[in-house]
PDB file of all heavy atoms in Angstrom:
ATOM      1  N   TRP A  52      52.607  45.508 101.713  1.00 85.00           N
ATOM      2  CA  TRP A  52      52.235  44.934 103.004  1.00 85.00           C
ATOM      3  C   TRP A  52      50.731  44.725 103.127  1.00 85.00           C
ATOM      4  O   TRP A  52      50.220  44.433 104.210  1.00 85.00           O
ATOM      5  CB  TRP A  52      52.736  45.818 104.140  1.00 85.00           C
ATOM      6  CG  TRP A  52      54.211  45.653 104.384  1.00 85.00           C
ATOM      7  CD1 TRP A  52      55.218  46.498 104.018  1.00 85.00           C
ATOM      8  CD2 TRP A  52      54.855  44.545 105.046  1.00 85.00           C
ATOM      9  NE1 TRP A  52      56.438  45.993 104.399  1.00 85.00           N
ATOM     10  CE2 TRP A  52      56.251  44.809 105.039  1.00 85.00           C
ATOM     11  CE3 TRP A  52      54.395  43.374 105.649  1.00 85.00           C
ATOM     12  CZ2 TRP A  52      57.175  43.922 105.602  1.00 85.00           C
ATOM     13  CZ3 TRP A  52      55.313  42.495 106.212  1.00 85.00           C
ATOM     14  CH2 TRP A  52      56.681  42.775 106.176  1.00 85.00           C
ATOM     15  N   PHE A  54      48.099  46.954 102.247  1.00 81.00           N
ATOM     16  CA  PHE A  54      47.243  48.100 102.551  1.00 81.00           C
ATOM     17  C   PHE A  54      47.112  49.007 101.332  1.00 81.00           C
ATOM     18  O   PHE A  54      47.929  48.964 100.414  1.00 81.00           O
ATOM     19  CB  PHE A  54      47.823  48.901 103.720  1.00 81.00           C
ATOM     20  CG  PHE A  54      47.930  48.108 104.999  1.00 81.00           C
ATOM     21  CD1 PHE A  54      49.138  47.542 105.376  1.00 81.00           C
ATOM     22  CD2 PHE A  54      46.820  47.917 105.808  1.00 81.00           C
ATOM     23  CE1 PHE A  54      49.243  46.811 106.553  1.00 81.00           C
ATOM     24  CE2 PHE A  54      46.915  47.187 106.980  1.00 81.00           C
ATOM     25  CZ  PHE A  54      48.128  46.631 107.354  1.00 81.00           C
ATOM     26  N   ILE A  62      53.353  37.916 102.658  1.00 82.00           N
ATOM     27  CA  ILE A  62      54.399  38.730 103.266  1.00 82.00           C
ATOM     28  C   ILE A  62      55.525  38.957 102.267  1.00 82.00           C
ATOM     29  O   ILE A  62      56.057  38.002 101.693  1.00 82.00           O
ATOM     30  CB  ILE A  62      54.945  38.051 104.538  1.00 82.00           C
ATOM     31  CG1 ILE A  62      53.836  37.964 105.592  1.00 82.00           C
ATOM     32  CG2 ILE A  62      56.146  38.820 105.101  1.00 82.00           C
ATOM     33  CD1 ILE A  62      54.249  37.264 106.863  1.00 82.00           C
ATOM     34  N   PRO A  63      55.903  40.203 102.004  1.00 85.00           N
ATOM     35  CA  PRO A  63      56.959  40.478 101.019  1.00 85.00           C
ATOM     36  C   PRO A  63      58.315  39.988 101.507  1.00 85.00           C
ATOM     37  O   PRO A  63      58.603  40.014 102.705  1.00 85.00           O
ATOM     38  CB  PRO A  63      56.935  42.003 100.893  1.00 85.00           C
ATOM     39  CG  PRO A  63      56.379  42.480 102.201  1.00 85.00           C
ATOM     40  CD  PRO A  63      55.383  41.447 102.613  1.00 85.00           C
ATOM     41  N   VAL A  68      61.180  44.381  99.580  1.00 93.00           N
ATOM     42  CA  VAL A  68      61.162  45.536 100.486  1.00 93.00           C
ATOM     43  C   VAL A  68      62.296  46.492 100.144  1.00 93.00           C
ATOM     44  O   VAL A  68      62.101  47.707 100.040  1.00 93.00           O
ATOM     45  CB  VAL A  68      61.259  45.090 101.959  1.00 93.00           C
ATOM     46  CG1 VAL A  68      61.443  46.311 102.867  1.00 93.00           C
ATOM     47  CG2 VAL A  68      60.022  44.311 102.367  1.00 93.00           C
ATOM     48  N   ASN A 175      47.887  51.102 116.414  1.00 63.00           N
ATOM     49  CA  ASN A 175      48.236  50.027 115.487  1.00 63.00           C
ATOM     50  C   ASN A 175      47.318  48.826 115.670  1.00 63.00           C
ATOM     51  O   ASN A 175      47.700  47.693 115.416  1.00 63.00           O
ATOM     52  CB  ASN A 175      49.695  49.602 115.704  1.00 63.00           C
ATOM     53  CG  ASN A 175      50.353  49.182 114.404  1.00 63.00           C
ATOM     54  OD1 ASN A 175      50.037  49.724 113.347  1.00 63.00           O
ATOM     55  ND2 ASN A 175      51.247  48.216 114.466  1.00 63.00           N
ATOM     56  N   LEU A 182      48.376  38.319 106.997  1.00 46.00           N
ATOM     57  CA  LEU A 182      49.216  37.842 105.909  1.00 46.00           C
ATOM     58  C   LEU A 182      49.859  36.521 106.316  1.00 46.00           C
ATOM     59  O   LEU A 182      50.667  36.463 107.237  1.00 46.00           O
ATOM     60  CB  LEU A 182      50.316  38.863 105.575  1.00 46.00           C
ATOM     61  CG  LEU A 182      49.869  40.200 104.987  1.00 46.00           C
ATOM     62  CD1 LEU A 182      51.077  41.085 104.707  1.00 46.00           C
ATOM     63  CD2 LEU A 182      49.053  40.005 103.720  1.00 46.00           C
ATOM     64  N   ILE A 186      49.189  38.497 112.017  1.00 43.00           N
ATOM     65  CA  ILE A 186      48.419  39.729 112.127  1.00 43.00           C
ATOM     66  C   ILE A 186      49.387  40.899 112.194  1.00 43.00           C
ATOM     67  O   ILE A 186      50.195  40.999 113.116  1.00 43.00           O
ATOM     68  CB  ILE A 186      47.521  39.710 113.374  1.00 43.00           C
ATOM     69  CG1 ILE A 186      46.579  38.500 113.340  1.00 43.00           C
ATOM     70  CG2 ILE A 186      46.733  41.007 113.475  1.00 43.00           C
ATOM     71  CD1 ILE A 186      45.624  38.497 112.169  1.00 43.00           C
ATOM     72  N   LEU A 187      49.322  41.784 111.209  1.00 49.00           N
ATOM     73  CA  LEU A 187      50.243  42.917 111.136  1.00 49.00           C
ATOM     74  C   LEU A 187      49.472  44.227 111.166  1.00 49.00           C
ATOM     75  O   LEU A 187      48.432  44.358 110.537  1.00 49.00           O
ATOM     76  CB  LEU A 187      51.083  42.842 109.853  1.00 49.00           C
ATOM     77  CG  LEU A 187      51.948  41.586 109.688  1.00 49.00           C
ATOM     78  CD1 LEU A 187      52.570  41.559 108.302  1.00 49.00           C
ATOM     79  CD2 LEU A 187      53.030  41.520 110.748  1.00 49.00           C
ATOM     80  N   GLY A 188      50.000  45.204 111.901  1.00 49.00           N
ATOM     81  CA  GLY A 188      49.408  46.527 111.932  1.00 49.00           C
ATOM     82  C   GLY A 188      49.802  47.332 110.714  1.00 49.00           C
ATOM     83  O   GLY A 188      50.735  46.985 109.984  1.00 49.00           O
ATOM     84  N   HIS A 189      49.085  48.435 110.485  1.00 58.00           N
ATOM     85  CA  HIS A 189      49.286  49.214 109.268  1.00 58.00           C
ATOM     86  C   HIS A 189      50.401  50.246 109.386  1.00 58.00           C
ATOM     87  O   HIS A 189      50.719  50.907 108.393  1.00 58.00           O
ATOM     88  CB  HIS A 189      47.992  49.938 108.890  1.00 58.00           C
ATOM     89  CG  HIS A 189      47.662  51.093 109.785  1.00 58.00           C
ATOM     90  ND1 HIS A 189      47.254  50.926 111.079  1.00 58.00           N
ATOM     91  CD2 HIS A 189      47.690  52.427 109.580  1.00 58.00           C
ATOM     92  CE1 HIS A 189      47.040  52.108 111.626  1.00 58.00           C
ATOM     93  NE2 HIS A 189      47.301  53.039 110.739  1.00 58.00           N
ATOM     94  N   THR A 190      50.997  50.409 110.573  1.00 78.00           N
ATOM     95  CA  THR A 190      52.057  51.400 110.713  1.00 78.00           C
ATOM     96  C   THR A 190      53.381  50.791 110.276  1.00 78.00           C
ATOM     97  O   THR A 190      53.899  49.868 110.908  1.00 78.00           O
ATOM     98  CB  THR A 190      52.173  51.895 112.173  1.00 78.00           C
ATOM     99  OG1 THR A 190      50.897  52.385 112.599  1.00 78.00           O
ATOM    100  CG2 THR A 190      53.202  53.009 112.275  1.00 78.00           C
ATOM    101  N   ILE A 191      53.914  51.318 109.179  1.00 85.00           N
ATOM    102  CA  ILE A 191      55.168  50.821 108.610  1.00 85.00           C
ATOM    103  C   ILE A 191      56.272  51.829 108.886  1.00 85.00           C
ATOM    104  O   ILE A 191      56.088  53.031 108.708  1.00 85.00           O
ATOM    105  CB  ILE A 191      55.044  50.606 107.081  1.00 85.00           C
ATOM    106  CG1 ILE A 191      53.817  49.749 106.760  1.00 85.00           C
ATOM    107  CG2 ILE A 191      56.316  49.980 106.518  1.00 85.00           C
ATOM    108  CD1 ILE A 191      53.872  48.341 107.290  1.00 85.00           C
ATOM    109  N   ASN A 192      57.416  51.342 109.324  1.00 90.00           N
ATOM    110  CA  ASN A 192      58.570  52.218 109.501  1.00 90.00           C
ATOM    111  C   ASN A 192      59.135  52.548 108.124  1.00 90.00           C
ATOM    112  O   ASN A 192      59.617  51.650 107.418  1.00 90.00           O
ATOM    113  CB  ASN A 192      59.631  51.522 110.354  1.00 90.00           C
ATOM    114  CG  ASN A 192      60.796  52.433 110.700  1.00 90.00           C
ATOM    115  OD1 ASN A 192      61.234  53.244 109.896  1.00 90.00           O
ATOM    116  ND2 ASN A 192      61.323  52.284 111.898  1.00 90.00           N
ATOM    117  N   THR A 195      62.922  51.356 107.606  1.00 91.00           N
ATOM    118  CA  THR A 195      63.245  49.933 107.462  1.00 91.00           C
ATOM    119  C   THR A 195      62.379  49.238 106.423  1.00 91.00           C
ATOM    120  O   THR A 195      62.776  48.221 105.854  1.00 91.00           O
ATOM    121  CB  THR A 195      63.073  49.206 108.800  1.00 91.00           C
ATOM    122  OG1 THR A 195      61.676  49.207 109.175  1.00 91.00           O
ATOM    123  CG2 THR A 195      63.880  49.888 109.897  1.00 91.00           C
ATOM    124  N   GLY A 196      61.163  49.767 106.217  1.00 91.00           N
ATOM    125  CA  GLY A 196      60.241  49.139 105.283  1.00 91.00           C
ATOM    126  C   GLY A 196      59.409  48.037 105.908  1.00 91.00           C
ATOM    127  O   GLY A 196      58.664  47.345 105.199  1.00 91.00           O
ATOM    128  N   TYR A 197      59.499  47.858 107.229  1.00 87.00           N
ATOM    129  CA  TYR A 197      58.788  46.780 107.906  1.00 87.00           C
ATOM    130  C   TYR A 197      57.825  47.337 108.951  1.00 87.00           C
ATOM    131  O   TYR A 197      58.011  48.452 109.455  1.00 87.00           O
ATOM    132  CB  TYR A 197      59.788  45.832 108.582  1.00 87.00           C
ATOM    133  CG  TYR A 197      60.521  44.957 107.595  1.00 87.00           C
ATOM    134  CD1 TYR A 197      61.679  45.405 106.965  1.00 87.00           C
ATOM    135  CD2 TYR A 197      60.029  43.689 107.260  1.00 87.00           C
ATOM    136  CE1 TYR A 197      62.353  44.614 106.041  1.00 87.00           C
ATOM    137  CE2 TYR A 197      60.692  42.895 106.336  1.00 87.00           C
ATOM    138  CZ  TYR A 197      61.845  43.360 105.738  1.00 87.00           C
ATOM    139  OH  TYR A 197      62.491  42.577 104.809  1.00 87.00           O
ATOM    140  N   PRO A 198      56.769  46.559 109.298  1.00 83.00           N
ATOM    141  CA  PRO A 198      55.844  46.993 110.363  1.00 83.00           C
ATOM    142  C   PRO A 198      56.602  47.271 111.656  1.00 83.00           C
ATOM    143  O   PRO A 198      57.611  46.627 111.952  1.00 83.00           O
ATOM    144  CB  PRO A 198      54.900  45.792 110.519  1.00 83.00           C
ATOM    145  CG  PRO A 198      54.935  45.116 109.187  1.00 83.00           C
ATOM    146  CD  PRO A 198      56.344  45.281 108.690  1.00 83.00           C
ATOM    147  N   ILE A 199      56.098  48.228 112.411  1.00 76.00           N
ATOM    148  CA  ILE A 199      56.806  48.686 113.601  1.00 76.00           C
ATOM    149  C   ILE A 199      56.794  47.654 114.722  1.00 76.00           C
ATOM    150  O   ILE A 199      55.902  46.821 114.826  1.00 76.00           O
ATOM    151  CB  ILE A 199      56.200  50.000 114.140  1.00 76.00           C
ATOM    152  CG1 ILE A 199      54.715  49.795 114.505  1.00 76.00           C
ATOM    153  CG2 ILE A 199      56.375  51.130 113.161  1.00 76.00           C
ATOM    154  CD1 ILE A 199      54.104  50.934 115.266  1.00 76.00           C
ATOM    155  N   GLN A 200      57.818  47.703 115.539  1.00 74.00           N
ATOM    156  CA  GLN A 200      57.893  46.976 116.803  1.00 74.00           C
ATOM    157  C   GLN A 200      58.116  48.035 117.874  1.00 74.00           C
ATOM    158  O   GLN A 200      59.176  48.639 117.937  1.00 74.00           O
ATOM    159  CB  GLN A 200      59.060  45.974 116.782  1.00 74.00           C
ATOM    160  CG  GLN A 200      58.944  44.891 115.722  1.00 74.00           C
ATOM    161  CD  GLN A 200      57.841  43.892 116.038  1.00 74.00           C
ATOM    162  OE1 GLN A 200      57.625  43.549 117.197  1.00 74.00           O
ATOM    163  NE2 GLN A 200      57.142  43.448 115.017  1.00 74.00           N
ATOM    164  N   THR A 201      57.102  48.278 118.701  1.00 79.00           N
ATOM    165  CA  THR A 201      57.185  49.389 119.648  1.00 79.00           C
ATOM    166  C   THR A 201      56.397  49.097 120.914  1.00 79.00           C
ATOM    167  O   THR A 201      55.517  48.218 120.912  1.00 79.00           O
ATOM    168  CB  THR A 201      56.650  50.693 119.005  1.00 79.00           C
ATOM    169  OG1 THR A 201      56.711  51.758 119.942  1.00 79.00           O
ATOM    170  CG2 THR A 201      55.223  50.526 118.536  1.00 79.00           C
TER     171      THR A 201
END
Side-chain angles (χ1 to χ4, degrees):
W52 283 103
F54 299 99
I62 296 178
V68 172
N175 214 33
L182 293 180
I186 303 298
L187 300 172
H189 73 289
T190 305
I191 308 296
N192 186 322
T195 66
Y197 286 86
I199 60 169
Q200 298 290 323
T201 179

